[in-house]
Amino acid sequence: MTIVALGINHKTASVDLRERVAFSPEQLDRALQQLTMQDEFAESVIVSTCNRTEIYCSLESGTPEQVLQWLAQFHQLDSKELAENVYSFDHSQAIYHLMKVACGLDSLVLGEPQILGQIKQAYASAKKNGGVGVLFERLFQKTFSVAKQVRTETNIGASAVSVAYAAVNLAKHIYGKLDNTRVLLIGAGETIELVARHIHQHSPQSMTVANRTIDRARNLADEFAAGVISLAQLPEQLPQADIVISSTASTLPIIGKGVIEQALKKRKNKPMLLIDIAVPRDIESQVAELDNAYLYSVDDLQAIVSENMATREQAAKEAEQIITARVSEFDNWLKSLDSVGLIRDYRNDVTQTKEQLLERAMAQLASGKEPEKIMVELANKLTNRLMHAPTKAIKDAAEKGEVGQLAQMQKMLGINQE
């Protein structure tokens, strides 16, 4: 049996191809059911996210090429085009890849934790559809354990490595808890959406989204139960904000020194944190000259991100060492499965030999032969039969000068030679 991993990700394929290869929730159940009905695919799990689609299979008689052909056929794609953009691994490399992905070491953002939850969901879907047996149950439980160990024993997820996340971490570092803070987000693009997701997890007292287009701001705000204002309403809203995070596409600053100065007066000089992650700037740099106004630019955050990325890269090296050790453990378990079959076959052979000789001895006793002679003959024949194969193997190894194999046989047979 062979374990295979085949897939595409953000490194190997365009967004267009990744979208065509991705599995919708409705497609996923149908795909898993198809795989379980094919004899060559013993067990199967499909991981499908915005950045990757991967199929993990244990193959009875199939090949990675058959997995590729099935994937192309399911999505009605040209198999040649798909082949140019996929990667595949087998045996230990496939196990290593799965564990590496689960730990976030193969993600667009190094160490991101979301992928582990996505793999757990993929495993649950496969199990529901009959795609998980003894082998993959063990493999995926081992993978989840490894991911937890990496999170616990390394700093892979301890530091912010996106500007949006760094902005929220900075606010948390300054204010401690954010549950008593009022947050004003300016803009409604992808970066502000990421900021909103991160900051929402800290349950701020209130959150307001300001944008040039009210409808777009409302689409974002509704997801987080936030308020909505237009950019024209900023002067009256700023005095209420403890934290201001801005990221718009404006070519000129939309917040000047004067408006912040007025806001601070209305706040009775209560400190205000302003984080400008727009390029070009949304907030005039002169704002930093004001007492109680703490302004950080995208350059400040990028320096934090760069430093944190170096920390994560070091943690990734530590994580790879943990993964390598766990892959070795799983390989040993796989080998023990082979030994289970070997032991079973060996026991069957020995039992068959015993029963043949015992049947002959019982017939001799029934015919009136001396019991003592029959017992001696039974013992001798049983000994010779059981010794025949090991003796032949020892002679063959000795004739070929295979010292290592002789030493292994000595250990296997329990022979203690001083």
Side-chain angles (χ1 to χ4, degrees):
M1 185 175 292
T2 303
I3 296 176
V4 167
L6 180 142
I8 66 170
N9 63 17
H10 58 281
K11 299 175 185 176
T12 68
S14 65
V15 174
D16 175 64
L17 182 58
R18 295 204 305 270
E19 287 176 345
R20 286 186 284 151
V21 175
F23 291 85
S24 67
E26 298 76 20
Q27 288 177 319
L28 187 61
D29 286 343
R30 180 159 55 90
L32 288 165
Q33 289 161 12
Q34 276 190 23
L35 287 170
T36 56
M37 288 189 293
Q38 300 194 38
D39 292 337
E40 58 267 38
F41 299 152
E43 301 177 51
S44 304
V45 173
I46 298 174
V47 177
S48 186
T49 73
C50 59
N51 282 326
R52 75 177 64 243
T53 293
E54 294 182 337
I55 302 174
Y56 295 89
C57 289
S58 62
L59 304 180
E60 289 283 9
S61 57
T63 63
E65 287 72 25
Q66 285 177 283
V67 182
L68 174 65
Q69 291 297 328
W70 175 86
L71 181 62
Q73 184 178 4
F74 186 91
H75 287 295
Q76 298 182 340
L77 298 171
D78 179 11
S79 59
K80 290 183 179 179
E81 178 191 6
L82 196 54
E84 292 172 356
N85 294 276
V86 302
Y87 47 84
S88 67
F89 306 98
D90 56 20
H91 304 299
S92 298
Q93 287 185 327
I95 299 166
Y96 184 90
H97 179 73
L98 172 61
M99 293 182 177
K100 186 176 179 180
V101 170
C103 293
L105 304 189
D106 194 56
S107 297
L108 185 60
V109 177
L110 181 65
E112 61 91 6
Q114 286 82 8
I115 186 63
L116 177 59
Q118 291 164 336
I119 291 177
K120 286 183 176 181
Q121 182 59 50
Y123 155 81
S125 296
K127 192 167 185 177
K128 180 186 71 174
N129 286 285
V132 175
V134 174
L135 180 62
F136 272 17
E137 179 67 31
R138 180 85 175 214
L139 172 60
F140 278 82
Q141 292 301 331
K142 187 75 171 178
T143 297
F144 302 150
S145 174
V146 169
K148 182 179 179 180
Q149 182 182 359
V150 166
R151 291 276 157 192
T152 303
E153 297 182 9
T154 75
N155 288 322
I156 194 67
S159 308
V161 289
S162 73
V163 169
Y165 192 32
V168 177
N169 265 16
L170 178 60
K172 187 182 174 187
H173 177 73
I174 290 174
Y175 282 94
K177 293 183 178 181
L178 301 182
D179 52 355
N180 289 321
T181 61
R182 290 168 294 184
V183 180
L184 172 61
L185 304 179
I186 305 175
E190 184 179 339
T191 302
I192 285 296
E193 182 181 349
L194 286 173
V195 170
R197 291 190 185 285
H198 290 311
I199 214 158
H200 182 67
Q201 296 175 0
H202 298 284
S203 304
Q205 182 178 327
S206 68
M207 188 158 62
T208 302
V209 179
N211 195 52
R212 196 176 305 279
T213 307
I214 292 292
D215 287 342
R216 188 170 180 183
R218 187 168 287 112
N219 290 337
L220 173 61
D222 286 349
E223 187 175 350
F224 305 104
V228 175
I229 63 169
S230 67
L231 294 185
Q233 295 172 286
L234 279 176
E236 58 191 73
Q237 184 66 33
L238 280 167
Q240 311 301 320
D242 302 304
I243 300 169
V244 178
I245 303 177
S246 186
S247 178
T248 76
S250 174
T251 57
L252 296 171
I254 57 176
I255 296 177
K257 181 179 179 182
V259 73
I260 296 299
E261 195 169 19
Q262 291 301 315
L264 287 169
K265 286 180 180 178
K266 291 180 181 179
R267 288 172 60 83
K268 297 182 179 178
N269 289 317
K270 184 180 177 182
M272 177 185 282
L273 171 65
L274 301 107
I275 302 175
D276 185 358
I277 48 182
V279 178
R281 294 185 181 212
D282 280 341
I283 304 173
E284 287 183 349
S285 58
Q286 289 83 357
V287 168
E289 300 170 2
L290 297 172
D291 291 338
N292 298 312
Y294 299 92
L295 175 62
Y296 291 84
S297 70
V298 68
D299 290 339
D300 298 322
L301 295 183
Q302 198 59 58
I304 295 172
V305 166
S306 298
E307 184 178 340
N308 290 347
M309 182 58 78
T311 300
R312 284 204 179 188
E313 287 172 353
Q314 177 57 41
K317 293 177 183 178
E318 298 169 11
E320 287 173 356
Q321 293 176 355
I322 293 172
I323 293 170
T324 298
R326 297 300 169 259
V327 169
S328 179
E329 288 177 2
F330 191 80
D331 277 340
N332 290 337
W333 179 75
L334 280 178
K335 291 173 184 175
S336 77
L337 291 184
D338 294 336
S339 71
V340 170
L342 181 61
I343 291 169
R344 181 187 61 243
D345 293 342
Y346 180 66
R347 285 185 182 277
N348 288 340
D349 287 346
V350 170
T351 300
Q352 188 177 3
T353 299
K354 178 199 73 173
E355 288 174 351
Q356 288 174 350
L357 294 176
L358 186 58
E359 184 180 354
R360 175 184 170 87
M362 295 296 286
Q364 288 176 329
L365 282 172
S367 68
K369 287 191 176 181
E370 275 184 60
E372 186 176 346
K373 288 183 178 179
I374 294 171
M375 289 178 65
V376 170
E377 181 183 352
L378 174 62
N380 287 338
K381 286 189 174 182
L382 184 59
T383 300
N384 289 336
R385 289 275 189 96
L386 295 180
M387 287 181 60
H388 175 71
T391 300
K392 185 177 183 303
I394 290 171
K395 286 181 178 178
D396 289 344
E399 287 173 3
K400 295 175 183 177
E402 295 175 345
V403 178
Q405 190 168 347
L406 284 170
Q408 188 66 27
M409 290 180 186
Q410 178 184 328
K411 179 181 179 181
M412 180 180 68
L413 296 171
I415 299 171
N416 183 21
Q417 290 186 347
E418 295 296 328

